[in-house]
């Protein structure tokens, strides 16, 4: 349909990030796009109606890019973190609504629920998680790495404030001794207290909170090497119970938790490093399995028309060919059947 080619010939160090949401509340999604410019600064770009609407220069590399809405009455904002320890919040007119500087590189951002609204959690390269309210006040700080030498690789949040005493944040903490195959997962409450620690989880950060039976009590989907686990959180720190485990036969690399067919039950879609896409019901039963080839690098949802089923976007690449890198994007039906495929020069 259209292409933004301005950054097509830049080297891999541009490290692009892409985020879509209805930023200006006009009923249509805008594209928020960030790159690291060859002139050694970051850029945040907003695209609407196939045209660049504005650009903002940023110090350092952009490390995360999320949308933020603190409560029902507050406007939607875009939050941007950088490798130089900065956190910016902008509105759709590119006006800066909040700016904070930490003394450490910021690695991850996520919003999480509180009884009175949402807060912003910030993860750092030293294993710290810091929470801020909508006015930029620091609510709490939790230091998860004893020697401040383990990075926060991912942050996941509960979709709603739980009805019982359960964690609302899951922080994936870089493994000790640079072991890239296994990380630690730390479960945090709304005031930053540690509920529990789970060893040997995936370092990609695929952990997701789910409420499979819609009772406002969460479970956790956790990726381990070659397996997927559903963990019932119960109430309190000592009542975590494994509900089921599913063997993937390869390392998980991408995940979705979504109601694909509109039956008000969430399904799981998991991509793996061996090029397979698994779709599971929340009781572990297999809905479908397709071997699409390559290595799955990302999964996304393309919403259907009103009352229609959503489609699945699958991005995969050839890990064996590092010189002439090739990637593909596919669109698949909710039942996994391929609709179309497009080759991408990466």
């Amino acid at each position: 349909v259209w292409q933004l080619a301005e950054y097509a010939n830049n080297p891999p160090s541009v490290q692009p990030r892409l985020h879509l949401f209805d930023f200006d509340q006009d009923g249509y999604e805008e594209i928020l796009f960030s790159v690291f410019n060859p002139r050694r600064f970051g850029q945040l770009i907003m695209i609407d109606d196939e045209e660049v609407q504005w650009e903002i220069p940023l110090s350092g590399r952009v490390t995360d890019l999320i949308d933020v809405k603190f409560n029902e009455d507050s406007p939607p904002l875009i939050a941007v973190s950088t490798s130089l320890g900065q956190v910016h919040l902008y509105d759709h007119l590119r006006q800066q609504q909040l700016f904070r500087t930490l003394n450490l590189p910021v690695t991850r951002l996520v919003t999480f629920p509180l009884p009175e609204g949402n807060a912003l959690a910030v993860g750092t390269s030293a294993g710290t998680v810091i929470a801020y309210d909508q006015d930029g006040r620091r609510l709490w700080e939790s230091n998860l790495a004893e020697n401040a030498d383990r990075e926060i690789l991912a942050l996941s949040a509960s979709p709603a404030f739980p009805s019982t005493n359960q964690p609302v944040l899951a922080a994936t903490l870089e493994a000790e001794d640079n072991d890239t195959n296994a990380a630690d997962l730390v479960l945090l409450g709304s005031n930053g207290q540690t509920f529990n620690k789970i060893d040997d989880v995936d370092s990609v950060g695929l952990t997701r909170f789910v409420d499979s039976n819609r009772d406002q009590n969460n479970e956790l989907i956790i990726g381990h090497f070659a397996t997927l686990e559903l963990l019932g959180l119960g109430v309190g720190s000592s009542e975590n119970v494994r509900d089921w485990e599913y063997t993937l036969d390869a390392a998980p690399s991408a995940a979705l938790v979504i109601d694909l067919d509109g039956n008000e039950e969430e399904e799981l879609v998991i991509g793996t490093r061996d090029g397979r896409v698994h779709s599971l019901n929340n009781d572990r039963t297999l809905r479908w399995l397709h071997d699409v080839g390559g290595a799955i690098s990302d999964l996304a949802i393309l919403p259907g028309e009103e009352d229609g089923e959503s489609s699945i976007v699958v991005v995969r690449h050839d890990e064996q060919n590092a010189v002439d890198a090739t990637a593909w994007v596919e669109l698949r039906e909710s039942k996994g059947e391929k609709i179309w495929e497009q080759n991408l020069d990466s």
Side-chain angles (χ1 to χ4, degrees):
V1 178
W2 63 274
Q3 177 180 353
L4 178 67
E6 181 178 348
Y7 306 97
N9 296 319
N10 283 339
S13 60
V14 297
Q15 297 181 343
R17 291 182 178 271
L18 190 69
H19 189 69
L20 278 71
F21 80 113
D22 186 4
F23 200 11
D24 58 9
Q25 300 292 278
D26 64 351
Y28 299 94
E29 291 185 326
E30 287 74 47
I31 299 173
L32 279 298
F33 180 58
S34 69
V35 295
F36 189 63
N37 193 287
R39 296 193 296 274
R40 314 304 292 172
F41 63 87
Q43 285 180 278
L44 176 64
I45 303 149
M46 175 177 160
I47 302 170
D48 193 12
D49 294 329
E50 304 178 13
E51 295 183 358
V52 173
Q53 301 298 313
W54 47 253
E55 299 183 33
I56 298 174
L58 300 166
S59 298
R61 299 176 184 271
V62 173
T63 56
D64 211 352
L65 184 63
I66 66 169
D67 59 274
V68 174
K69 194 170 175 64
F70 286 104
N71 55 60
E72 292 183 359
D73 299 324
S74 64
L77 303 172
I78 190 75
V80 189
S81 61
T82 76
S83 58
L84 297 184
Q86 298 171 345
V87 178
H88 306 262
L89 269 72
Y90 295 100
D91 64 20
H92 75 279
L93 298 175
R94 83 175 202 173
Q95 299 299 310
Q96 184 164 264
Q97 301 298 315
L98 182 67
F99 173 68
R100 287 292 177 268
T101 300
L102 287 70
N103 60 357
L104 294 165
V106 176
T107 57
R108 287 294 179 262
L109 302 171
V110 75
T111 56
F112 68 95
L114 295 174
E116 64 276 10
N118 291 325
L120 177 67
V122 178
T124 74
S125 62
T128 303
V129 179
I130 306 168
Y132 294 95
D133 67 12
Q134 63 179 338
D135 298 316
R137 289 189 292 263
R138 183 176 295 203
L139 300 175
W140 49 260
E141 178 177 331
S142 184
N143 300 308
L144 307 183
E146 183 178 357
N147 298 317
D149 58 351
R150 302 170 66 189
E151 179 180 322
I152 300 295
L153 300 175
L155 289 171
S156 179
S158 169
F161 193 75
S163 60
T164 54
N165 184 28
Q166 287 191 328
V168 297
L169 280 170
T172 304
L173 187 64
E174 182 182 21
E176 295 182 285
D177 302 322
N178 296 317
D179 180 359
T180 59
N181 292 323
D184 293 328
L185 188 71
V186 183
L187 305 182
L188 301 173
S190 59
N191 61 357
Q193 83 275 22
T194 297
F195 270 69
N196 202 356
K197 181 180 175 182
I198 300 169
D199 299 329
D200 298 328
V201 304
D202 73 274
S203 59
V204 183
L206 300 183
T207 296
R208 301 286 189 278
F209 284 87
V210 296
D211 182 4
S212 57
N213 57 3
R214 308 294 174 94
D215 63 353
Q216 292 187 294
N217 289 307
N218 291 319
E219 299 87 36
L220 274 179
I221 295 292
I222 301 174
H224 300 279
F225 181 74
T227 63
L228 194 68
E229 177 185 12
L230 180 70
L231 185 71
L233 293 178
V235 180
S237 62
S238 62
E239 299 186 26
N240 299 333
V241 179
R242 177 183 295 170
D243 286 353
W244 53 253
E245 188 174 83
Y246 175 80
T247 300
L248 297 166
D249 295 322
S253 54
L256 288 174
V257 180
I258 190 76
D259 181 6
L260 282 171
D261 49 18
N263 65 353
E264 297 188 355
E265 293 185 3
E266 292 179 325
E267 292 85 39
L268 313 177
V269 183
I270 308 295
T272 60
R273 293 285 295 274
D274 67 348
R276 294 192 294 175
V277 182
H278 307 243
S279 177
L280 309 175
N281 291 309
N282 56 37
D283 62 357
R284 194 184 66 173
T285 55
L286 182 67
R287 300 177 71 243
W288 48 260
L289 171 63
H290 288 285
D291 188 346
V292 304
I296 309 301
S297 53
D298 207 356
L299 295 169
I301 286 297
L302 180 64
E305 301 293 333
E306 188 174 354
D307 298 327
E309 292 187 356
S310 299
S311 302
I312 304 168
V313 181
V314 180
V315 182
R316 57 189 177 88
H317 65 280
D318 182 2
E319 286 195 321
Q320 306 302 317
N321 190 349
V323 177
D324 185 19
T326 302
W328 297 265
V329 59
E330 298 180 356
L331 189 67
R332 290 182 173 263
E333 297 175 351
S334 62
K335 296 178 175 61
E337 297 301 323
K338 185 164 67 175
I339 301 172
W340 54 256
E341 174 184 289
Q342 178 66 51
N343 175 264
L344 301 172
D345 293 328
S346 58

